[in-house]
Amino acid sequence: MALRIDPDHGRFRDIVRGKIKQNLKKYISNGELIGRKGKDVVSIPLPQINVPRFRFGSKGDGGVGQGPGQVGDAVGKGEPGEEGTGKAGSDPGEHALEVELSLDELAQILGEELQLPRIIPKGKERLITEKDRYVGIRRTGPESLRHFKRTFRQALRRQVMSGSYDPKHPMIVPIREDKRYRSWKTTPLPQSNAVMIFIMDVSGSMGDEQKEIVRIESFWIDTWLRSQYKGLESRYIIHDAVAKEVDRDTFFRTRESGGTMISSAYKLAAKMIDSSFPPSEWNIYPFHFSDGDNWSVDDTTLCIDILKKDILPKVNLFCYGQVESPYGSGQFLKDLGDHFEEAESVIVSEIKNKEAIMESIRTFLGKGK
Amino acid sequence: MAALPAYLLDIQREIEAHGRAYGLDFWETSFEILDYRRMQEVAAFSGFPVRYPHWRFGMEFEHLNKSHIYGLSKIYEMVINNNPAYAYLLEGNSLVDQKMVIAHVLGHVDFFKNNYYFSKTNRKMIDGMANHATRVRRHIERLGLDKVESFIDSCLCLENLIDPMSPFIVRQAPERPDDHKAAEVTQELPRLRAKEYMETFINPPEYVQEQRRKMEKERDKPRKNPREPQRDVLLFLLQNAPLEGWERDILEIIRDEAYYFAPQRQTKVINEGWAAYWHSKIMTEKALKASEIIDYADHNAGVLASAPGQFNPYKVGVSLLRHIEERWDKGRFGKEWNECEDSEARRTWDKRLGLGRQKIFEVRKHYNDVTFLDEFFTEDFCRENQFFSFAHNERSGNYEIDSREFRKVKQKILFQLTNFGEPFILVEDANHENRGELLLVHRHEGTDLNEDHAHATLNAIERIWRRPVTLRTVLDGKAKMLRYDGKDHTDKPA
């Protein structure tokens, strides 16, 4: 039902979107939003959007209430201030505004703000399948699809109407016009499948802060890619000296300590791609986050070898994000840079702190691959 | 527009008959049934079916919609001060709810019609609002939504800078053309009376000379605009700011509506109290069927509930009215009562005067929230109803009860109600520092302004005045001049 207020409401939503865009950097770099994620909406606390007025400052001076209690008893946490003045309703928008946005919408805002290009999924045409569903009834069709019940009902109705129905000898004979057949609709099902493989270094040198950065960045990459593909899968690999696949929860929580052998993770990723995600059908996005402190030069050489042979030819994009940590040497970033300067599908980015997350996302996803 | 079904119309007529029998005096009221979304829409428009396009109505709608979805609030009743009055019922409410709302609305309409503070409002405001909407739409068609909307935003920042009492008082005698001359003729040099031979001693010529010079200087001084600090900032801007035609039109609309809504904000407690008094009176004494009592009691309790730390205008209003009724019924007023200190005598005091009903009708005619509470919020009432004042405790981070002392509680209540709990801002000078800048003053009464808001509001005024704007106020105990010149904010000590 159309309401007269709809244009005003739409206008308000636009303003909200604008505000979110303005403050996107702030939202992106604090992890709070992730905690607020519902099924597929996030609610975002907005800075005030209300009309400024000359008004009194501190609400600290409280108000007047009614009820039992001793001096010194709490009357409730938070801010009863505005409600307490007894004028609720006369000043709209006094309350902290929480706006709900679907993740899609959020991804769109993110995309607009970072000027991320739309991703053109590969293998689109090839992967379109068709699906037939019986959705309706029609008057013509093959006998094999005849709908007995509907046909019978139609015949009965005709006979009752024409007066040829005799309740004592109920005999229904359908004629051609009575016949009803099932009909179907063909819907194309585009299948652009994508998988994200998040790889994180959990060796001793990755502290809590580094993991938080990885967590936030993964969330946003995840959000953006999900808005681009229906049915996105994610896989998680953690590694120190050995690599293993884990679930999402473990991925973000584990704290291991050990040496670092990046090649172990790359091997596992290559194996995963080979076994489950044939590149002809899947868009594959590995993201590797590490502090760039590999165990040995030999291992680095091995990594580069695996990347060249087994990973790069199969993936859309290989992203390496290096988180700065007080212990890591950060050598791996340089090594990758040296070897893949020319390679289009390798993107490296250095994430110094939370503020750099946004820039890093732009680097990773800015190519639209 | 869904007309009221016959059975509800019958109920309305029945309740109106009861109301009239009690002496209520109201306009014809037309009820309309709305589903909850339309109800929220109308509520977002402050009760009106049509308002000018602006995003804040959308924001209010979103807010109401969310509160509804999360089950935090439900709009039961809405009524417009208009002749005939318009009111809304929520579709799907139970019959007893609808009865209660009808009776409640009756109370409001009686109040609108008879309370003095409403006497100057436009009683055809439904049309008024629709006209405003048309005017604004026309400007939007001509100039584009963004331009008009952002100007409305600026005007709304100043919405509260009006003088709610001005419809009733002439603040300033209109200036007559011969004022100047008259002043000149009548002005006499102040001199003491003296015998002629004493004259040069008592009024030495140098002194007289100096007085004359001073006076001339005073007379030649350019007259200040405004002559006295003016509270109606909106009016002042309308008369003095360099506005384009459409801007003037919009500012006028905003000011019109602000004055229309002002009495409702001035009488929140007493108005809601009055309506609650009458719905409960009519329902419990007349309109309720035995089978409806439980539901009624339940919902009535919901309306009158007050969480700790909350000042529920319905509850406070209705208890205070009942308190007044009882006092005047039992003759608990006047010198004798005030001076009686025997608590037993006070407790059993009953002169069987039966003046209660008459008194509350008087109160509904002449009082607004401030005068209502100032006069009738007594120590007895405060104690009986367990009022307390609360404040923020820095250490615990909680709001805590800080006092049950009558004087403090009452002071706080009155402070909250005075000028709607908003600061007094006046225009002092339209030619500040002789540069055509605007000077506003905040009449500081102990509470500082919110600085961020003040800055943003100065921006809005600058947009309208088109010259730098300064606000004199007090922050952290120091006099400050907050100035905005169109680019930067500065704050100098005053």
Side-chain angles (χ1 to χ4, degrees):
Chain A
M1 183 182 54
L3 291 174
R4 263 177 289 225
I5 204 157
D6 287 343
D8 292 337
H9 193 217
R11 207 59 201 151
F12 168 66
R13 300 286 300 185
D14 284 348
I15 292 173
V16 168
R17 284 174 52 99
K19 282 262 174 188
I20 293 174
K21 238 189 210 175
Q22 263 175 31
N23 294 304
L24 194 65
K25 194 162 181 183
K26 208 176 79 203
Y27 293 127
I28 285 187
S29 44
N30 78 26
E32 214 183 315
L33 269 195
I34 307 170
R36 292 171 172 272
K37 192 177 152 201
K39 194 168 178 325
D40 37 51
V41 291
V42 280
S43 58
I44 296 179
L46 268 193
Q48 59 190 353
I49 204 167
N50 51 0
V51 180
R53 301 253 167 88
F54 286 126
R55 65 183 70 188
F56 290 126
S58 61
K59 286 180 186 153
D61 31 54
V64 173
Q66 235 181 311
Q70 299 293 316
V71 169
D73 285 0
V75 289
K77 274 190 206 285
E79 298 209 30
E82 292 302 327
E83 292 297 320
T85 60
K87 290 196 299 294
S90 61
D91 285 320
E94 295 288 359
H95 329 263
L97 197 61
E98 283 227 344
V99 188
E100 271 177 14
L101 274 188
S102 69
L103 281 180
D104 265 358
E105 241 176 315
L106 196 60
Q108 218 183 334
I109 294 174
L110 179 78
E112 279 169 26
E113 184 59 18
L114 292 178
Q115 296 177 326
L116 298 180
R118 298 221 137 261
I119 289 173
I120 305 160
K122 73 178 174 190
K124 194 177 176 187
E125 290 87 354
R126 238 182 317 148
L127 288 169
I128 281 189
T129 55
E130 290 187 341
K131 197 164 186 207
D132 294 339
R133 282 185 63 214
Y134 291 99
V135 289
I137 294 289
R138 61 184 179 191
R139 285 160 169 266
T140 55
E143 285 303 301
S144 57
L145 286 180
R146 193 184 60 224
H147 194 307
F148 180 79
K149 221 172 182 174
R150 295 286 289 261
T151 305
F152 179 84
R153 207 155 75 195
Q154 204 60 35
L156 177 64
R157 186 183 289 167
R158 179 180 48 78
Q159 284 194 357
V160 171
M161 274 195 294
S162 64
S164 59
Y165 177 71
D166 177 5
K168 292 205 181 88
H169 304 280
M171 206 153 62
I172 310 293
V173 185
I175 60 170
R176 221 165 84 103
E177 280 75 41
D178 297 333
K179 290 192 178 166
R180 292 294 181 270
Y181 303 90
R182 287 173 220 271
S183 78
W184 69 91
K185 222 180 186 170
T186 306
T187 41
L189 266 185
Q191 279 195 337
S192 48
N193 291 328
V195 59
M196 291 179 288
I197 303 174
F198 288 107
I199 306 167
M200 179 163 54
D201 179 352
V202 290
S203 61
S205 51
M206 290 281 285
D208 282 346
E209 198 186 323
Q210 281 74 24
K211 289 211 191 88
E212 172 82 0
I213 290 176
V214 174
R215 191 168 83 108
I216 294 169
E217 182 150 348
S218 320
F219 172 80
W220 288 106
I221 291 171
D222 188 273
T223 305
W224 169 250
L225 286 177
R226 266 178 211 284
S227 76
Q228 299 288 314
Y229 294 105
K230 297 267 171 290
L232 185 80
E233 280 204 37
S234 7
R235 294 297 182 90
Y236 303 91
I237 294 174
I238 55 176
H239 75 87
D240 41 24
V242 285
K244 59 184 169 193
E245 190 182 346
V246 295
D247 59 29
R248 186 185 164 86
D249 209 40
T250 327
F251 180 76
F252 287 125
R253 280 165 209 265
T254 325
R255 190 186 166 88
E256 315 253 312
S257 54
T260 314
M261 296 253 284
I262 297 178
S263 64
S264 65
Y266 286 6
K267 273 183 208 150
L268 183 63
K271 209 174 101 195
M272 193 187 276
I273 294 171
D274 283 340
S275 61
S276 325
F277 306 106
S280 57
E281 287 171 30
W282 289 84
N283 296 281
I284 303 168
Y285 296 90
F287 292 91
H288 180 207
F289 298 97
S290 162
D291 57 1
D293 194 16
N294 205 5
W295 172 250
S296 65
V297 181
D298 291 350
D299 192 65
T300 304
T301 320
L302 184 58
C303 287
I304 291 177
D305 218 35
I306 300 171
L307 271 180
K308 266 193 185 139
K309 279 209 199 102
D310 297 329
I311 298 187
L312 288 186
K314 296 169 187 169
V315 302
N316 292 38
L317 207 57
F318 180 85
C319 297
Y320 172 71
Q322 184 157 297
V323 194
E324 201 168 84
S325 89
Y327 312 105
S329 65
Q331 183 59 35
F332 197 65
L333 182 89
K334 292 192 199 105
D335 295 337
L336 278 184
D338 289 347
H339 284 87
F340 296 104
E341 214 175 340
E342 302 288 300
E344 278 250 314
S345 52
V346 177
I347 298 178
V348 296
S349 141
E350 222 180 331
I351 316 158
K352 282 208 163 59
N353 48 33
K354 282 187 183 173
E355 274 68 52
I357 291 177
M358 196 142 138
E359 208 36 57
S360 163
I361 295 175
R362 199 203 306 268
T363 317
F364 281 162
L365 302 174
K367 285 197 175 171
K369 290 190 99 175
Chain B
M1 286 224 175
L4 209 57
Y7 73 99
L8 280 175
L9 202 60
D10 290 345
I11 289 176
Q12 186 192 344
R13 297 291 167 237
E14 184 201 327
I15 290 176
E16 284 178 351
H18 295 315
R20 271 192 205 95
Y22 281 118
L24 291 179
D25 167 29
F26 39 82
W27 292 308
E28 180 59 38
T29 306
S30 89
F31 281 93
E32 205 181 307
I33 296 195
L34 302 180
D35 67 45
Y36 74 98
R37 273 176 62 82
R38 285 273 294 135
M39 192 75 157
Q40 286 157 9
E41 175 189 59
V42 172
F45 285 145
S46 317
F48 287 87
V50 187
R51 294 292 291 274
Y52 57 82
H54 192 261
W55 58 266
R56 83 177 190 288
F57 301 125
M59 175 170 75
E60 184 59 15
F61 176 75
E62 168 113 0
H63 177 70
L64 290 167
N65 193 256
K66 284 274 157 57
S67 330
H68 177 89
I69 290 170
Y70 295 144
L72 298 174
S73 77
K74 186 173 168 186
I75 305 161
Y76 266 97
E77 144 260 343
M78 215 166 9
V79 50
I80 311 179
N81 163 28
N82 193 75
N83 180 11
Y86 283 82
Y88 305 95
L89 298 173
L90 185 63
E91 181 184 72
N93 265 356
S94 68
L95 191 61
V96 56
D97 281 349
Q98 307 291 36
K99 273 189 186 175
M100 177 166 142
V101 171
I102 291 173
H104 188 88
V105 162
L106 215 61
H108 280 309
V109 177
D110 170 82
F111 196 87
F112 290 149
K113 185 175 173 185
N114 295 291
N115 183 269
Y116 178 70
Y117 295 89
F118 282 90
S119 59
K120 306 282 184 190
T121 54
N122 179 2
R123 307 298 197 174
K124 295 282 177 217
M125 201 53 182
I126 293 236
D127 303 339
M129 287 289 184
N131 290 340
H132 290 173
T134 315
R135 274 155 72 186
V136 174
R137 285 218 166 81
R138 204 175 295 147
H139 295 311
I140 288 174
E141 273 159 28
R142 211 159 49 83
L143 300 157
L145 180 59
D146 289 326
K147 198 169 173 187
V148 176
E149 195 174 62
S150 84
F151 187 73
I152 295 179
D153 286 351
S154 303
C155 296
L156 285 175
C157 297
L158 318 178
E159 201 184 21
N160 57 344
L161 304 183
I162 57 171
D163 183 358
M165 294 304 181
S166 67
F168 309 100
I169 314 169
V170 181
R171 290 268 187 218
Q172 228 171 42
E175 197 169 344
R176 271 168 310 210
D178 52 350
D179 267 6
H180 261 281
K181 245 186 250 162
E184 246 168 76
V185 175
T186 52
Q187 226 164 28
E188 251 181 68
L189 284 177
R191 56 170 81 208
L192 297 169
R193 270 208 312 187
K195 298 227 167 77
E196 205 170 325
Y197 69 92
M198 287 293 282
E199 174 73 18
T200 49
F201 294 98
I202 293 189
N203 296 310
E206 309 90 76
Y207 172 77
V208 173
Q209 206 63 35
E210 195 185 328
Q211 288 300 310
R212 179 168 296 135
R213 257 209 317 281
K214 249 192 203 161
M215 222 175 224
E216 270 162 13
K217 208 172 152 198
E218 189 69 26
R219 199 190 58 213
D220 294 342
K221 216 163 79 175
R223 314 204 92 200
K224 242 188 174 182
N225 182 24
R227 279 189 286 167
E228 274 158 29
Q230 185 174 330
R231 260 193 82 188
D232 195 338
V233 179
L234 287 184
L235 180 65
F236 183 82
L237 290 173
L238 269 175
Q239 289 168 343
N240 296 284
L243 296 167
E244 284 177 35
W246 67 274
E247 294 175 326
R248 183 176 309 279
D249 196 36
I250 282 173
L251 192 54
E252 244 164 40
I253 287 172
I254 303 284
R255 180 169 174 270
D256 245 30
E257 297 188 358
Y259 271 103
Y260 170 79
F261 286 118
Q264 300 188 25
R265 302 175 63 206
Q266 278 174 298
T267 58
K268 187 89 186 158
V269 178
I270 183 171
N271 194 348
E272 289 303 352
W274 183 252
Y277 177 91
W278 285 107
H279 86 234
S280 71
K281 187 126 223 145
I282 292 173
M283 290 297 277
T284 50
E285 288 183 6
K286 306 281 182 191
L288 269 182
K289 294 200 185 78
S291 62
E292 296 171 337
I293 294 250
I294 303 276
D295 282 340
Y296 166 76
D298 184 29
H299 295 160
N300 189 49
V303 171
L304 297 183
S306 55
Q310 227 187 17
F311 182 88
N312 181 344
Y314 293 80
K315 162 98 174 163
V316 177
V318 74
S319 352
L320 193 48
L321 280 168
R322 288 197 181 123
H323 183 72
I324 295 169
E325 191 182 23
E326 191 194 346
R327 280 178 60 199
W328 261 259
D329 271 343
K330 296 185 173 170
R332 297 177 173 183
F333 57 91
K335 189 169 187 307
E336 203 183 334
W337 163 258
N338 286 337
E339 284 172 1
C340 171
E341 277 174 13
D342 175 358
S343 65
E344 183 55 25
R346 279 175 83 94
R347 204 175 56 74
T348 53
W349 191 290
D350 190 355
K351 296 191 162 176
R352 298 179 191 281
L353 292 183
L355 293 173
R357 180 69 54 75
Q358 190 192 333
K359 182 67 187 175
I360 60 171
F361 268 93
E362 236 170 69
V363 169
R364 86 83 153 87
K365 198 168 175 59
H366 299 298
Y367 286 74
N368 66 22
D369 283 349
V370 175
T371 53
F372 180 54
L373 282 145
D374 188 26
E375 183 156 349
F376 300 109
F377 190 88
T378 59
E379 195 159 0
D380 292 334
F381 182 75
C382 178
R383 194 180 47 246
E384 278 162 28
N385 287 277
Q386 299 184 303
F387 278 95
F388 57 78
S389 70
F390 60 87
H392 193 255
N393 183 332
E394 293 294 329
R395 267 188 314 158
S396 65
N398 282 343
Y399 280 88
E400 286 174 1
I401 299 179
D402 77 342
S403 174
R404 285 190 174 278
E405 202 186 312
F406 167 65
R407 207 178 45 83
K408 276 194 179 168
V409 171
K410 183 156 180 178
Q411 198 176 26
K412 207 155 233 179
I413 289 187
L414 289 177
F415 179 74
Q416 281 181 356
L417 292 174
T418 303
N419 198 31
F420 320 113
E422 283 170 5
F424 286 97
I425 307 283
L426 300 92
V427 186
E428 184 159 295
D429 192 357
N431 190 22
H432 180 48
E433 306 208 320
N434 202 17
R435 283 197 299 234
E437 302 182 8
L438 190 66
L439 175 66
L440 304 172
V441 264
H442 166 217
R443 208 200 286 155
H444 195 268
E445 288 171 344
T447 312
D448 289 358
L449 294 180
N450 175 325
E451 223 179 317
D452 295 343
H453 272 277
H455 283 168
T457 314
L458 284 178
N459 288 5
I461 303 179
E462 195 273 343
R463 157 81 185 79
I464 295 170
W465 185 249
R466 302 224 170 98
R467 290 281 302 146
V469 177
T470 306
L471 172 72
R472 191 170 68 223
T473 181
V474 178
L475 291 170
D476 294 325
K478 291 192 199 85
K480 278 270 166 73
M481 299 285 254
L482 305 179
R483 181 168 186 269
Y484 180 67
D485 62 5
K487 285 198 206 84
D488 301 303
H489 288 279
T490 49
D491 61 343
K492 280 187 298 204

